[in-house]
Amino acid sequence: IPDPGWAASYPPPARRSVYAAAHVAAFPGGGIDWESTLRFREHLWAHGLGVAEAMDTAQRGMGLSFDQARELIGRSTARAAELGTTIACGAGADQLPAGAHRITAIIGAYAEQLELVQAGGAEVILMASRALAASARSGQDYLEVYGQLLKLADRPVILHWLGEAFDPALRGYWGSEDIDVAADTVIELIERSGGQVGGIKLSLLDAGREVALRRRLPPGVRLYTGDDFNYAELIKGDAQGHSDALLGAFAAITAPAAAALRALDAGDVAGYDDAIGPTVALSRMIFEPPTYHYKVGVAFLAWLNGLQPHFAMLDRLQERRSAAHLIRVFELAAAARALLEPDLAVSRMTEYLAGALQA
């Protein structure tokens, strides 16, 4: 495997607002490896990317408890403040037990987390909520919940629309399984917000619907693509605009993504395509169904790249992807120049395969 040839660091992109949603490193026996978890965030910041913290990539709702999320937000926001870097954190309602709840209880849970994020000085991402999806009877309930929360925000927030491929419990979010009807509710919320919505992260894995929503947004409201299949074309954009990015994929392809964004800043569209294009097949493999297990690929590449000492995840999530899947991830990562230290990556891949053969 040749050396990838990327720079060790990159400035923040000037023409796009970009966040990488970061995962959580764990010890093989359980528990969070805080040193490696924070080192990974420093890796993202060094490449000019903002960190989207305590999101679904961090196993929110799939192994990361609210108490752990609270500590994660505290540690990461403190480190971001020390370094003077960009961080946004997910505020949800996952301290509530599974099932339906009163709308007032959901607002209260969200408000607690919103206050936590703001206290750390981070931007707020109002995460899609399983509790709200289980409790809302119509789009009006969503307008009520989010309307109340926007009044509590001390600066514009990022909304979060996560499709059911990422979390089946969020089917019918925004009050309808009809995406067009749901989009109408989102636009109504944004137009009512009085400038309190700075953007929306959209993860529907449907480029056409993303472009359609992007074109409906009021001036100054960003569309952060969460489309880990089609991000290359969406970020590049067209004559009518472009998407910004808030992607789990960028935690897996950090260096080539940073190089691509640098090329785009320089007006070098061919250079952008050359850097970002080969990463798409890798991302599509990492995010193949069941898509919500994509976190495994992110952690696997972090381990191959020497950013954590163990291929281990909370609740042993690393076991949810097959050896065949991870072999293909390795092959595509090599093709995408996403293996930063090829000799180390080959050594660790050999170690992984030896263990898989014994299992």
Side-chain angles (χ1 to χ4, degrees):
I1 302 173
D3 185 275
W6 310 121
S9 63
Y10 289 86
R15 297 192 178 185
R16 301 292 186 271
S17 177
V18 178
Y19 295 86
H23 77 297
V24 169
F27 292 111
I32 295 174
D33 177 350
W34 288 111
E35 180 180 351
S36 297
T37 294
L38 290 175
R39 183 166 63 243
F40 187 79
R41 282 137 182 82
E42 291 168 4
H43 166 72
L44 298 175
W45 285 319
H47 285 78
L49 306 182
V51 167
E53 186 58 277
M55 303 292 291
D56 48 297
T57 305
Q59 291 179 247
R60 198 82 180 260
M62 289 187 67
L64 187 79
S65 69
F66 172 61
D67 285 342
Q68 289 172 318
R70 180 193 285 116
E71 184 172 0
L72 178 62
I73 289 167
R75 287 175 180 258
S76 293
T77 54
R79 189 68 181 127
E82 290 172 9
L83 297 174
T85 51
T86 301
I87 187 167
C89 300
D94 55 327
Q95 67 270 56
L96 298 174
H101 297 271
R102 290 178 294 111
I103 293 299
T104 53
I106 295 169
I107 293 171
Y110 261 122
E112 177 188 0
Q113 295 196 23
L114 188 150
E115 183 178 354
L116 169 69
V117 173
Q118 292 186 155
E123 294 183 71
V124 172
I125 303 167
L126 286 179
M127 294 182 68
S129 164
R130 291 176 179 174
L132 182 53
S135 308
R137 296 182 179 180
S138 70
Q140 291 302 312
D141 286 334
Y142 287 88
L143 293 172
E144 170 66 18
V145 170
Y146 283 91
Q148 292 296 325
L149 296 171
L150 292 176
K151 294 176 183 177
L152 302 176
D154 61 13
R155 70 181 95 167
V157 308
I158 299 173
L159 303 178
H160 179 238
W161 186 353
L162 201 64
E164 63 180 292
F166 289 89
D167 188 344
L170 298 177
R171 183 178 178 86
Y173 210 74
W174 301 109
S176 179
E177 293 183 17
D178 183 324
I179 299 298
D180 294 329
V181 174
D184 288 343
T185 300
V186 170
I187 293 297
E188 182 177 350
L189 172 66
I190 293 171
E191 289 177 342
R192 285 186 184 185
S193 73
Q196 281 292 80
V197 174
I200 178 168
K201 168 191 161 61
L202 189 66
S203 297
L204 298 182
L205 304 179
D206 185 325
R209 290 191 182 279
E210 177 169 322
V211 170
L213 182 64
R214 186 174 79 203
R215 291 176 177 168
R216 295 181 66 188
L217 293 175
V221 178
R222 297 179 184 269
L223 191 299
Y224 290 94
T225 187
D227 188 332
D228 301 279
F229 289 174
N230 304 298
Y231 54 84
E233 62 185 87
L234 291 162
I235 293 169
K236 182 162 64 172
D238 55 33
Q240 293 178 271
H242 64 264
S243 295
D244 294 284
L246 199 165
L247 288 160
F250 276 14
I253 60 163
T254 304
L261 292 162
R262 182 67 169 163
L264 204 58
D265 280 347
D268 180 6
V269 176
Y272 170 83
D273 290 338
D274 287 345
I276 205 79
T279 71
V280 174
L282 169 60
S283 186
R284 289 186 174 213
M285 174 56 61
I286 291 171
F287 285 80
E288 75 171 359
T291 298
Y292 44 81
H293 288 327
Y294 75 87
K295 299 96 170 168
V296 178
V298 174
F300 186 62
L301 286 174
W303 176 63
L304 292 180
N305 281 324
L307 295 166
Q308 59 190 69
H310 309 287
F311 176 39
M313 304 179 72
L314 297 175
D315 282 6
R316 302 181 66 87
L317 190 72
Q318 73 273 12
E319 298 173 0
R320 301 292 180 89
R321 290 296 204 190
S322 68
H325 171 88
L326 293 176
I327 289 169
R328 190 63 181 143
V329 167
F330 173 81
E331 293 171 342
L332 292 170
R337 294 188 288 161
L339 299 177
L340 305 183
E341 298 181 49
D343 290 345
L344 174 64
V346 169
S347 174
R348 289 193 166 183
M349 189 69 200
T350 303
E351 176 190 335
Y352 169 75
L353 290 174
L357 288 171
Q358 291 177 355

